[in-house]
Amino acid sequence: NFQYPEYLNAGVELTDKMVERGFGDHIALIGHGRKRTYKELTDWTNRIARVLVEDFRIQPGNRILIRSGNNPAMVAVWLAVTKAGAVAVNSMPMLRSNELNKIIDKAEIKLALCDVRLTEEIMPCLEVTGLEQVITFDGTSNFNAELDMLALDKPVTFNAVMTGRDDVALLGFTSGTTGAPKATMHFHRDLMIIADGYAKEVLAVTPDDIFVGSPPLAFTFGLGGLAIFPLRFGATATLLEDATPARLIEIIETYSATICFTAPTAYRAMMAAMEKGADLSSLRIAVSAGETLPASVYNEWSQKTGKPLLDGIGATEMLHIFISNRLDDSKPSVTGKAVTGYEAKIVDDCMQELPRGAVGRLAVRGPTGCRYLADDRQAVYVAGGWNITGDTFFQDDEGYFHFAARNDDMIISSGYNIAGPEVEDALLGHAAVLECAVVGVPDNERGQIVEAHVVLRANYTASDELRVALQSHVKKAIAPYKYPRSIVFRDALPKTPAGKIKRFVIRDESA
Ligand code: 3SK
């Protein structure tokens, strides 16, 4: 489906080529109160690329760690690394030394480019890994860290490396919720495909779009949604280091943002703020991914905004979203259909395709994955080109995919299969519940019982009465046998740096 020239550099496509196409004066990035045009971004990335090649002697194919929050400087640094033909390894700002060590070892990284405010955890890596150098840049774009000062002395032109379309441009690390982290390899053409596929087909991005969102740029969900998609179409990305729901609203109102990427919990908080006057009317599309979208959140969003909340599922392995609802075809509790270029099917443990309606493992195949870097687990998670995801789904008669559970979120209690997310969805329908996670915990009598971990909204207090009220609420909303026999009230839920609830941590705590 996707045709690209033999030599393709994604960094050049997203900067110099956009200037050539006439977007030079258009705003590419907004962050830390400053706007940057495509021409300014192009010059900035060329200067950094020169520093990398001329001062630090990086070679095509070298792997470079980037450590930063969501800001324009991170986008510029990532594009410069790509233009120099090196392989970017974007890392989450909250990672600790021991987590960074694993990434550095796995990817055999010698050079790290780090926001000057985030050096503390990376410096110890110099002692215990093959990392040789940490160069700082200023994530607030005041240009007073090492890389910035060297870059200011360079000309604004750079002969970008003419990488092959199938050369590796990016290593995406899976959050490593269990076991050693896996790195997935993505080619220059993959970075184009997610834009020319999902962003074009599903979001129909135009140069007038203004993007906002919370996923980290270090997570391929964020890199696509907040850098690649806007830059590919001459649109504008607003970048926020502190993407709380209140800040998202502030940016939407200030810049009349049109496309938002965030998780269901943030959409709930934004809807609560709408009742107090927040104006989200500029939003053309709201995308929810990374977590299951409860039907209650989908319905409330549609009622309050008159627009669909677009659910989708993606994976670092496939780079971005491969099944999605469409603007003119979306429903609650439905993840949608495969995005152009991708195929999806439901299989059993032996990779046999299951009939429509049967619940099984979701397998996906497409042009952007799945290639693990030097990992025996390739044979476990990829069969005949199909990536076996960690999710349980079913496909209905009309071909729509429906999420059932993460494979390990399926609870078996007294012989009943209970999908944890279904119980979560029911609980979220109660006014007292802000967030929740439902897990199966061992039980002598039933094998497992359903346990809900609940964070209450500000004006509610935990009590036995409320516990009973929540249980009755679930019994009325879904089949009564699914109700949580145990409810634990908590102040917060443990989450991965990408914002996903760590149900495995809760499960371990409760075991
Ligand atoms: O659903 C996800 O977790 C995801 C992962 C990578 C890229 C995009 C998405 C939505």
Side-chain angles (χ1 to χ4, degrees):
N1 286 327
F2 302 98
Q3 304 291 330
Y4 299 100
E6 192 180 348
Y7 294 99
L8 178 82
N9 184 307
V12 173
E13 293 295 317
L14 300 175
T15 55
D16 308 69
K17 289 277 173 71
M18 297 311 294
V19 175
E20 279 171 30
R21 284 184 203 134
F23 290 100
D25 294 332
H26 206 88
I27 303 298
L29 302 177
I30 302 178
H32 286 290
R34 290 182 62 169
K35 295 182 178 174
R36 299 193 187 264
T37 64
Y38 276 84
K39 174 73 173 91
E40 286 169 329
L41 177 63
T42 303
D43 294 352
W44 190 8
T45 56
N46 285 345
R47 288 182 148 143
I48 299 173
R50 271 186 182 264
V51 175
L52 298 177
V53 172
E54 294 168 11
D55 300 355
F56 297 109
R57 302 278 155 213
I58 69 152
Q59 302 283 329
N62 286 171
R63 296 170 188 155
I64 300 190
L65 186 94
I66 302 173
R67 174 167 169 77
S68 175
N70 284 12
N71 54 56
M74 167 157 187
V75 175
V77 167
W78 165 66
L79 287 166
V81 166
T82 310
K83 287 169 108 165
V87 178
V89 183
N90 298 330
S91 66
M92 310 275 182
M94 46 300 238
L95 293 188
R96 300 282 180 203
S97 299
N98 62 329
E99 294 159 310
L100 289 166
N101 287 342
K102 288 185 196 149
I103 293 176
I104 293 166
D105 284 342
K106 176 89 202 169
E108 300 179 353
I109 293 169
K110 296 202 165 47
L111 175 68
L113 306 175
C114 180
D115 185 322
V116 70
R117 297 165 295 168
L118 296 172
T119 52
E120 196 183 329
E121 294 290 336
I122 193 141
M123 288 310 183
C125 304
L126 289 164
E127 307 296 320
V128 293
T129 67
L131 185 68
E132 290 171 1
Q133 226 172 352
V134 176
I135 314 292
T136 56
F137 63 91
D138 182 358
T140 66
S141 305
N142 282 318
F143 298 116
N144 47 20
E146 189 181 359
L147 183 67
D148 312 303
M149 288 197 267
L150 291 167
L152 283 177
D153 283 340
K154 300 287 183 193
V156 297
T157 53
F158 175 67
N159 276 334
V161 173
M162 268 301 101
T163 39
R165 64 185 167 215
D166 288 358
D167 283 347
V168 177
L170 179 78
L171 288 182
F173 273 81
T174 57
S175 11
T177 46
T178 49
K182 298 191 279 300
T184 62
M185 295 184 279
H186 292 293
F187 304 154
H188 283 263
R189 70 171 156 87
D190 297 352
L191 306 183
M192 301 292 100
I193 289 172
I194 59 171
D196 299 343
Y198 170 77
K200 190 169 176 187
E201 182 201 351
V202 178
L203 307 178
V205 180
T206 77
D208 293 333
D209 277 315
I210 298 176
F211 287 68
V212 67
S214 60
L217 290 167
F219 179 27
T220 59
F221 181 30
L223 189 71
L226 298 173
I228 297 173
F229 299 167
L231 296 180
R232 180 66 168 161
F233 297 100
T236 303
T238 59
L239 294 163
L240 276 172
E241 289 180 353
D242 55 338
T244 57
R247 291 282 286 136
L248 290 173
I249 291 170
E250 193 185 321
I251 295 295
I252 293 167
E253 290 180 337
T254 308
Y255 298 106
S256 300
T258 57
I259 301 185
C260 181
F261 285 83
T262 191
T265 318
Y267 284 117
R268 280 168 73 88
M270 286 159 73
M271 288 188 287
M274 279 173 87
E275 273 160 28
K276 296 186 188 129
D279 179 7
L280 307 183
S281 59
S282 62
L283 282 184
R284 186 169 78 71
I285 305 179
V287 177
S288 171
E291 268 287 324
T292 327
L293 174 63
S296 54
V297 179
Y298 174 96
N299 288 330
E300 195 184 336
W301 183 267
S302 310
Q303 278 154 18
K304 289 208 159 110
T305 67
K307 293 167 198 157
L309 185 45
L310 274 195
D311 196 10
I313 175 169
T316 305
E317 281 81 346
M318 304 307 287
L319 192 57
H320 217 272
I321 292 177
F322 53 82
I323 292 177
S324 177
N325 276 307
R326 305 297 196 277
L327 284 178
D328 56 359
D329 185 11
S330 81
K331 304 180 223 186
S333 303
V334 171
T335 310
K337 290 186 175 172
V339 169
T340 299
Y342 296 86
E343 296 167 87
K345 63 182 181 180
I346 308 298
V347 297
D348 64 14
D349 290 343
C350 304
M351 279 305 284
Q352 291 306 307
E353 187 164 358
L354 293 172
R356 297 278 163 107
V359 174
R361 306 186 76 176
L362 177 68
V364 58
R365 184 159 75 169
T368 53
C370 161
R371 322 158 192 117
Y372 291 113
L373 171 74
D375 207 311
D376 293 344
R377 287 170 289 183
Q378 178 87 16
V380 178
Y381 294 110
V382 186
W386 291 89
N387 174 214
I388 307 143
T389 70
D391 295 291
T392 307
F393 269 72
F394 70 91
Q395 194 176 13
D396 66 24
D397 289 338
E398 293 169 286
Y400 294 94
F401 287 90
H402 298 241
F403 175 78
R406 289 283 306 167
N407 292 343
D408 44 13
D409 288 340
M410 198 54 102
I411 302 161
I412 303 175
S413 186
S414 301
Y416 288 108
N417 280 352
I418 301 169
E422 193 188 358
V423 184
E424 288 171 9
D425 195 15
L427 279 165
L428 286 167
H430 192 284
V433 180
L434 177 66
E435 276 192 291
C436 63
V438 166
V439 295
V441 297
D443 180 74
N444 286 341
E445 212 182 308
R446 296 186 160 81
Q448 281 188 308
I449 56 161
V450 177
E451 180 168 280
H453 291 246
V454 172
V455 179
L456 294 174
R457 285 185 187 275
N459 41 343
Y460 287 87
T461 314
S463 67
D464 284 340
E465 288 74 34
L466 183 55
R467 190 173 276 115
V468 173
L470 291 177
Q471 289 172 325
S472 329
H473 172 82
V474 174
K475 285 185 195 166
K476 282 190 205 123
I478 52 178
Y481 69 85
K482 298 177 183 173
Y483 86 95
R485 285 168 194 271
S486 162
I487 295 186
V488 180
F489 293 110
R490 352 183 6 145
D491 293 336
L493 299 175
K495 294 194 178 154
T496 66
K500 294 189 186 204
I501 297 170
K502 287 182 176 173
R503 291 184 181 76
F504 70 98
V505 168
I506 299 174
R507 215 176 284 122
D508 287 352
E509 283 167 5
S510 300

